[in-house]
Amino acid sequence: MALTAGMKAPDFTTTDQDGKEVKLSDFKGKKVVLYFYPKDMTPGCTTEACNLRDNYKLLQKQGYEVLGVSTDDEKMHRKFIEKEKLPFRLLADTNKSLHEKYGTWVEKSMYGRKYMGTARITFIIDENGILAEVIEKVDTANHTQQILGEAKSPLAKAKPAKKAPKKVSKKPVKKVSKKRK
């Protein structure tokens, strides 16, 4: 059965990039962004992690703790954190028990070949351990806006930079005649 908003978030115990035990129940009274991603240091996963990194203070200001989850081990998570300077914890789920509880270990298909892998899904968990939202279509480059909600997000209010008008050259254009053969 797929998890949906309003359901109790499944508790878990696993380890982070430093081998420290992490339980969802440790975050009671806090909002949690629990995001599942396929693999450390791949293009889409890096884009998603960096978007969360770049907006981490804003997420914290809104009361969120961020936890990333993949099947990579602690050592790989540590490298990813160091390389991208990620300020949040990454959880190692090498035995896929967390993936199973959250329904993120799924059959995928690429080039007609079927295989099992991680579904990129984010679970927003409220202070009482209830799923407030499940984001199944993650926009890796704009994930923070999805988490905060487009309308509520301070990022949504930021106006895009105006493009400088193109300068038009005043030099005369040479006409080139084409000779027919």
Side-chain angles (χ1 to χ4, degrees):
M1 180 170 88
L3 295 176
T4 58
M7 297 175 81
K8 182 145 181 66
D11 200 7
F12 59 81
T13 302
T14 190
T15 55
D16 69 7
Q17 70 280 352
D18 298 321
K20 293 181 183 168
E21 187 176 86
V22 179
K23 297 178 186 176
L24 180 60
S25 55
D26 294 342
F27 297 93
K28 190 167 177 106
K30 297 181 181 180
K31 295 185 278 186
V32 176
V33 172
L34 184 66
Y35 82 97
F36 287 78
Y37 65 98
K39 189 146 183 62
D40 290 338
M41 294 191 261
T42 55
C45 297
T46 300
T47 299
E48 181 178 17
C50 290
N51 175 265
L52 294 170
R53 173 201 66 202
D54 295 346
N55 296 289
Y56 186 63
K57 286 186 178 163
L58 175 63
L59 288 163
Q60 283 188 310
K61 191 175 174 182
Q62 299 289 325
Y64 291 99
E65 289 288 331
V66 177
L67 301 170
V69 182
S70 81
T71 58
D72 290 312
D73 63 19
E74 296 158 2
K75 184 178 175 184
M76 191 69 168
H77 282 337
R78 168 72 19 225
K79 284 181 184 177
F80 191 34
I81 285 172
E82 288 171 2
K83 182 177 183 212
E84 300 302 336
K85 298 176 180 31
L86 303 178
F88 47 84
R89 296 160 91 179
L90 298 179
L91 307 182
D93 188 33
T94 55
N95 67 2
K96 301 169 192 71
S97 64
L98 207 62
H99 280 70
E100 293 293 338
K101 286 182 180 188
Y102 280 81
T104 57
W105 189 250
V106 298
E107 184 176 273
K108 297 172 112 180
S109 179
M110 184 183 291
Y111 306 117
R113 185 179 74 83
K114 293 189 185 297
Y115 63 98
M116 296 301 288
T118 302
R120 188 184 305 276
I121 298 176
T122 297
F123 299 89
I124 311 299
I125 304 166
D126 74 10
E127 299 89 343
N128 300 311
I130 303 298
L131 293 171
E133 186 177 359
V134 178
I135 303 171
E136 293 184 7
K137 293 187 179 183
V138 172
D139 177 352
T140 58
N142 299 296
H143 198 37
T144 302
Q145 284 178 290
Q146 286 181 299
I147 292 164
L148 296 177
E150 300 295 327
K152 297 181 282 184
S153 171
L155 296 174
K157 293 174 185 148
K159 297 197 178 192
K162 290 184 179 179
K163 290 182 181 176
K166 289 184 180 179
K167 291 184 180 179
V168 179
S169 175
K170 303 236 176 184
K171 293 180 185 176
V173 179
K174 287 185 180 179
K175 290 188 178 181
V176 179
S177 63
K178 293 182 182 179
K179 294 183 181 178
R180 293 189 178 176
K181 292 184 181 179

